[in-house]
Amino acid sequence: DAGVIQSPRHEVTEMGQEVTLRCKPISGHDYLFWYRQTMMRGLELLIYFNNNVPIDDSGMPEDRFSAKMPNASFSTLKIQPSEPRDSAVYFCASSFPVDRGAGNTEAFFGQGTRLTVV
Amino acid sequence: GQQLNQSPQSMFIQEGEDVSMNCTSSSIFNTWLWYKQDPGEGPVLLIALYKAGELTSNGRLTAQFGITRKDSFLNISASIPSDVGIYFCAGQRNAGNMLTFGGGTRLMVKP
């Protein structure tokens, strides 16, 4: 299995531009997560989907952020307009529920997209 | 911000030494996971714990799920240079698969 695939690996953009990050989850996984990692705040969950439906987007910082999952094999995270404080590494992760009596999971992460907004 | 308190934040040790790190929470988690992140990469799962009191090993790594379900520790025995990285604990409360991450422990190993 190729694992979770994210693109691009690096993105440098000017403030005010639109940025789109892409993710292909592991085939057969029905949960997809978007995380943001910064030195100050660590790993933060932004939004997650189950069977392509957004379940919890309470971690999305503000209306400039949006995420979609049009099908089981593709998701996007869009920032419009981007700001310097959005600079971070954005991770996509996927999982399927491993039934051990408590709905547990093991999330597998992509390599991340390092976003720099100047 | 994080709801899991992970300590220590960083460790600088000599090759061959044992390492211990832990996570605590004010609330209960039903699953504890330990991840390692190498520079420029995403976190990779090391050990998953599903039952309170569970002790699980993976090579030189040993992790335990605290009996109160509010804490977990990870031990690395006989550290080697490739153990360098950031180690994260993560907890899950209920079905729904949301993970909450600790702040990470940055491990540096001196050959």
Side-chain angles (χ1 to χ4, degrees), chain B residues 6-92:
Chain B
Q6 186 172 347
S7 64
Q9 287 188 329
S10 62
M11 302 180 71
F12 189 67
I13 63 170
Q14 193 76 35
E15 182 178 1
E17 290 183 354
D18 296 342
V19 173
S20 184
M21 59 192 79
N22 68 84
C23 266
T24 59
S25 171
S26 58
S27 53
I28 288 172
F29 285 97
N30 291 314
T31 302
W32 285 91
L33 305 172
W34 285 92
Y35 287 84
K36 183 193 177 196
Q37 185 177 24
D38 291 326
E41 302 292 332
V44 174
L45 183 68
L46 297 174
I47 290 181
L49 302 159
Y50 299 106
K51 286 179 59 177
E54 181 179 356
L55 183 70
T56 298
S57 293
N58 179 7
R60 294 179 295 106
L61 277 60
T62 302
Q64 183 157 32
F65 190 149
I67 197 71
T68 64
R69 292 189 283 161
K70 293 183 179 181
D71 63 302
S72 177
F73 72 74
L74 174 71
N75 289 340
I76 305 173
S77 62
S79 59
I80 59 178
S82 62
D83 291 334
V84 165
I86 304 176
Y87 292 79
F88 290 98
C89 63
Q92 182 199 35

Side-chain angles (χ1 to χ4, degrees), chain A residues 9 31 33 35 37 39-45 48 56 91 95-98 100 102-112 114, chain B residues 1-2 30-31 33 35 37 40-45 48-51 86 88 92-103 106:
Chain A
R9 288 295 310 274
Y31 284 84
F33 309 84
Y35 285 89
Q37 186 177 37
M39 287 293 292
M40 291 297 295
R41 299 179 66 87
L43 272 164
E44 301 175 279
L45 178 66
Y48 78 99
D56 188 337
F91 287 104
S95 74
F96 57 90
V98 179
R100 305 206 185 222
N104 305 304
T105 188
E106 298 174 7
F108 295 85
F109 283 76
Q111 291 184 301
R114 180 174 294 278
Chain B
Q2 287 98 36
N30 291 314
T31 302
L33 305 172
Y35 287 84
Q37 185 177 24
E41 302 292 332
V44 174
L45 183 68
L49 302 159
Y50 299 106
K51 286 179 59 177
I86 304 176
F88 290 98
Q92 182 199 35
R93 288 199 172 84
N94 298 299
N97 298 295
M98 282 179 57
L99 293 179
T100 301
F101 281 84
R106 184 180 295 274

